[in-house]
Amino acid sequence: TAREKGLIKDGDEWVTEEEFHKRRGEILVDGKWIKLGEEAGKAYHKEAVGATRLKLVYTWSPHFDVFSEVPPKITKRVADACEAAYVEMRRVLKPEGDEYPENEIERIKLTLFKKAPAYVRFSKWFNEREKCEELVPGWLRSVQRQHSFWWTHPEKMVSVYQFPNTDKTFVSNVVHNVGLVLITRYNINFLYPSVWLQEGFAYYLEMKTAGYTMSFTLGKGGSGGGEKGPVWAESDKWKGALKKLVSEGQDPPLKRIARMTHDQFSYVELVKSWSVVDFLIQWDRTKFKTFIDLSKARDSSGIAAIEEDALKEAYGVGYRQLDTKWRAFVQNGFKP
């Protein structure tokens, strides 16, 4: 039997003892299973609290270190949702070896705040510690005008404040930012995907794991700010809205979307980006991994061109052909 072979039941699966503990973020040290990164998380918590005087509570999660001033119930909701997004990332991209190692270095830190003043105080300290302004001039002023920021090197950090948003929106915002970190850190080569692929994958993780998204900023001030519309602001209406655009021949072409910067995006481009990523994964998950691998393996100034070359090599289509196939997917009820 499975038990006689030394396997342990994890939900509906029989797995090895090592896999069982690995899924829970634990490693074997001196014959004992310990929580990976917990000691380092506690040390970071002590340093952050000492420097900022913020009342943050540390919570360990298998792949995240959470530093929070929001209620424990909300903290747990955030951590569980982020873990679900992490599991989905690994299901889709199936990272091996150094593509996304499950080690202490790759753990992502989450800082969760109730209101802006605490978030601003933390961002100042984080900037001093990580020298963010030296790498991205104007970084501090920019993030302090927003409800959140994410950072990938050397610390992997997502920081979000809630007020005046609902718990549901708050969870969505954190998970979306985590998705941006995950796709950027994958393959550990610091090549940022283009905006459509970056945002599309983050929205995919939200929609796949939570079934909704309420993340609408994309670099604009305030969560839930920026361009709004009665259709695009509600993710349960996205499919119907996309189907209408396609039937009217009004959806923006992917080739143009692929070359757009953050400030050029509106909801229409964001939602189509999500749906194209969803389509590519449904079409062939293995090819999607190949597409991402090839996209992040090449060094050039033209990211959109790199990604189209990778798309052709992985799927055998360019942007225009992908548009045709995606439109058929939409008209077929979002089924390939």
Side-chain angles (χ1 to χ4, degrees):
T1 66
R3 193 168 273 111
E4 289 172 342
K5 293 178 182 177
L7 300 180
I8 301 172
K9 195 160 190 180
D10 186 15
D12 296 329
E13 291 183 85
W14 287 96
V15 298
T16 63
E17 183 183 17
E18 181 181 0
E19 178 63 22
F20 181 87
H21 288 282
K22 182 181 177 183
R23 291 181 180 184
R24 286 153 181 79
E26 299 172 345
I27 57 171
L28 190 63
V29 177
D30 297 330
K32 294 181 180 180
W33 291 101
I34 66 168
K35 294 177 178 178
L36 177 64
E38 186 177 35
E39 289 305 312
K42 289 178 178 177
Y44 190 92
H45 174 252
K46 184 177 180 180
E47 180 186 355
V49 168
T52 64
R53 302 300 176 190
L54 293 168
K55 295 180 180 179
L56 298 171
V57 175
Y58 172 60
T59 302
W60 179 92
S61 185
H63 301 98
F64 300 88
D65 291 302
V66 189
F67 310 91
S68 174
E69 64 170 19
V70 302
K73 184 178 179 180
I74 306 305
T75 300
K76 187 178 188 308
R77 276 183 62 182
V78 168
D80 289 348
C82 291
E83 288 293 347
Y86 183 91
V87 169
E88 179 63 16
M89 178 276 290
R90 297 197 76 91
R91 185 188 77 86
V92 171
L93 296 178
K94 292 196 176 300
E96 301 174 356
D98 292 335
E99 290 178 340
Y100 207 120
E102 293 189 90
N103 57 26
E104 190 171 303
I105 295 173
E106 290 307 317
R107 291 177 61 80
I108 299 174
K109 293 178 172 62
L110 310 177
T111 46
L112 313 177
F113 302 101
K114 295 176 183 176
K115 296 183 179 181
Y119 164 84
V120 167
R121 194 191 309 178
F122 178 81
S123 65
K124 287 179 180 177
W125 173 74
F126 187 81
N127 175 57
E128 292 170 2
R129 189 180 193 273
E130 302 300 321
K131 306 292 187 278
C132 304
E133 287 272 343
E134 294 180 12
L135 294 171
V136 185
W139 179 87
L140 184 59
R141 185 177 179 183
S142 175
V143 302
Q144 290 182 351
R145 293 198 304 265
Q146 301 169 20
H147 266 64
S148 64
F149 75 79
W150 58 282
W151 190 259
T152 61
H153 180 70
E155 290 290 357
K156 276 59 70 179
M157 173 65 71
V158 167
S159 185
V160 185
Y161 76 90
Q162 181 171 5
F163 183 81
N165 293 307
T166 65
D167 294 344
K168 188 175 181 180
T169 300
F170 183 58
V171 173
S172 173
N173 289 343
V174 179
V175 174
H176 189 84
N177 279 275
V178 164
L180 298 174
V181 173
L182 292 175
I183 189 64
T184 302
R185 287 299 297 172
Y186 174 71
N187 267 350
I188 320 300
N189 62 1
F190 312 110
L191 177 62
Y192 291 77
S194 61
V195 178
W196 84 268
L197 188 52
Q198 201 176 64
E199 291 289 334
F201 189 73
Y203 279 114
Y204 167 83
L205 291 180
E206 280 196 87
M207 296 288 276
K208 189 70 176 178
T209 58
Y212 78 96
T213 176
M214 299 182 77
S215 297
F216 305 128
T217 52
L218 195 60
K220 298 170 183 170
S223 186
E227 178 192 344
K228 283 192 175 183
V231 174
W232 303 113
E234 298 179 47
S235 56
D236 60 351
K237 296 180 180 177
W238 282 4
K239 288 185 176 180
L242 283 175
K243 197 165 186 177
K244 185 173 185 294
L245 278 184
V246 169
S247 66
E248 295 173 350
Q250 296 298 313
D251 62 291
L254 187 58
K255 196 171 187 72
R256 176 160 61 83
I257 293 176
R259 287 167 170 74
M260 292 172 70
T261 56
H262 279 80
D263 60 333
Q264 295 172 323
F265 267 68
S266 69
Y267 276 148
V268 177
E269 287 82 17
L270 282 177
V271 175
K272 179 167 178 176
S273 297
W274 154 71
S275 186
V276 170
V277 169
D278 183 42
F279 168 57
L280 289 172
I281 293 171
Q282 286 195 53
W283 180 356
D284 192 313
R285 200 169 67 203
T286 302
K287 288 180 180 179
F288 184 77
K289 173 182 170 61
T290 302
F291 167 50
I292 300 297
D293 287 347
L294 292 171
S295 295
K296 300 199 77 181
R298 304 177 184 184
D299 185 19
S300 171
S301 58
I303 294 176
I306 299 171
E307 289 176 350
E308 186 164 26
D309 287 344
L311 189 65
K312 289 175 180 176
E313 193 166 338
Y315 284 95
V317 298
Y319 288 137
R320 289 191 174 92
Q321 292 165 303
L322 177 56
D323 260 335
T324 299
K325 289 183 175 293
W326 173 78
R327 288 169 185 142
F329 163 78
V330 171
Q331 291 168 333
N332 192 47
F334 296 85
K335 297 177 183 177

